[in-house]
Amino acid sequence: QQQVRQSPQSLTVWEGETAILNCSYEDSTFNYFPWYQQFPGEGPALLISISSVSDKKEDGRFTIFFNKREKKLSLHITDSQPGDSATYFCAASGGGGSAKLIFGEGTKLTVSS
Amino acid sequence: DMKVTQMPRYLIKRMGENVLLECGQDMSHETMYWYRQDPGLGLQLIYISYDVDSNSEGDIPKGYRVSRKKREHFSLILDSAKTNQTSVYFCASRDWGGYAEQFFGPGTRLTVL
């Protein structure tokens, strides 16, 4: 059973548009949610993260919105660039700084110019 | 330079052969991981190692074993490889405590014929 789910599986936006990637989770003990970015042929790399005490985290063009009540998050990429084309993974981990991350299935983003 | 390395990058084996995948990190991280990545399934945790000779099963340990004799080195072993173990394998490491970032290697693409 997938504890972290992402949608859509794939997304295409035009350069300059805002891409919205969605994530939901089931375990209410999850309290840390990193997003990883992966380019073809490479390993994932941490992009941005949020803890459950916040409802928003911003880093440049990347923003996480977090709704604890609904157990949902979204990653907004504003002014999307072709270089943002990658697969994005939402992940979650539990309390106590657990070393284990549960990853979603990923969203493949394509930014067309 | 913080880095996780994996060897080999590509490997083709026949069913029933033994497979050794190697991972190294230069950050003195205590915790290391092995994941496999398959299309539509995201990253699935095979094993986690908390330090030398302190290894725990992840979510899909069946058919795999690991060895960690030095903090900077973590091996994944497939005894008698099966065709359904064809996948891309990623190693990762992180520092202990809190919500530390996982650093991923570039991956090993394993094909079992």
Side-chain angles (χ1 to χ4, degrees):
Chain A
Q1 187 179 7
Q2 193 76 19
Q3 294 187 63
V4 178
R5 300 200 71 96
Q6 292 185 246
S7 65
Q9 268 190 305
S10 62
L11 176 65
T12 299
V13 299
W14 292 104
E15 184 176 356
E17 291 186 333
T18 296
I20 299 175
L21 290 65
N22 300 303
C23 178
S24 64
Y25 62 98
E26 297 177 4
D27 191 334
S28 57
T29 66
F30 289 158
N31 62 4
Y32 171 65
F33 304 90
W35 285 80
Y36 280 78
Q37 180 188 54
Q38 184 181 30
F39 295 106
E42 298 182 9
L46 179 66
L47 177 66
I48 187 172
S49 63
I50 193 169
S51 73
S52 59
V53 299
S54 303
D55 55 15
K56 181 180 175 182
K57 177 79 173 287
E58 206 168 338
D59 185 356
R61 296 184 294 108
F62 300 90
T63 302
I64 300 173
F65 292 93
F66 177 63
N67 185 321
K68 188 173 183 177
R69 184 180 59 83
E70 294 188 6
K71 297 182 191 171
K72 290 182 178 179
L73 310 87
S74 60
L75 175 67
H76 292 226
I77 306 173
T78 57
D79 188 25
S80 296
Q81 302 297 309
D84 297 330
S85 297
T87 299
Y88 293 81
F89 291 98
C90 173
S93 74
S98 170
K100 186 177 174 181
L101 284 178
I102 308 297
F103 284 86
E105 315 97 318
T107 293
K108 184 177 180 181
L109 174 66
T110 303
V111 181
S112 299
S113 56
Chain B
D1 189 24
M2 299 188 294
K3 204 171 182 181
V4 177
T5 57
Q6 292 187 237
M7 291 291 288
R9 292 294 313 278
Y10 302 91
L11 187 61
I12 299 175
K13 288 286 193 178
R14 295 194 179 279
M15 191 170 60
E17 291 185 327
N18 297 330
V19 176
L20 173 65
L21 305 184
E22 312 223 50
C23 174
Q25 50 100 359
D26 61 2
M27 298 167 277
S28 297
H29 286 167
E30 294 178 348
T31 309
M32 296 186 74
Y33 310 77
W34 276 106
Y35 294 91
R36 64 177 282 175
Q37 184 176 40
D38 301 289
L41 293 179
L43 290 144
Q44 297 176 275
L45 180 65
I46 305 171
Y47 267 93
I48 181 170
S49 174
Y50 295 99
D51 211 330
V52 171
D53 285 330
S54 179
N55 308 316
S56 293
E57 294 181 344
D59 299 318
I60 53 162
K62 188 177 179 182
Y64 304 94
R65 62 183 175 94
V66 292
S67 174
R68 191 162 179 209
K69 298 301 182 185
K70 293 183 179 180
R71 178 172 282 187
E72 63 271 17
H73 190 75
F74 191 31
S75 300
L76 180 68
I77 301 123
L78 288 66
D79 295 314
S80 188
K82 300 171 181 52
T83 55
N84 62 9
Q85 292 177 309
T86 292
S87 187
V88 181
Y89 291 86
F90 287 98
C91 174
S93 75
R94 60 159 261 182
D95 209 350
W96 179 249
Y99 301 120
E101 174 183 353
Q102 287 191 24
F103 292 86
F104 283 81
T108 294
R109 182 173 294 276
L110 171 67
T111 302
V112 182
L113 302 174

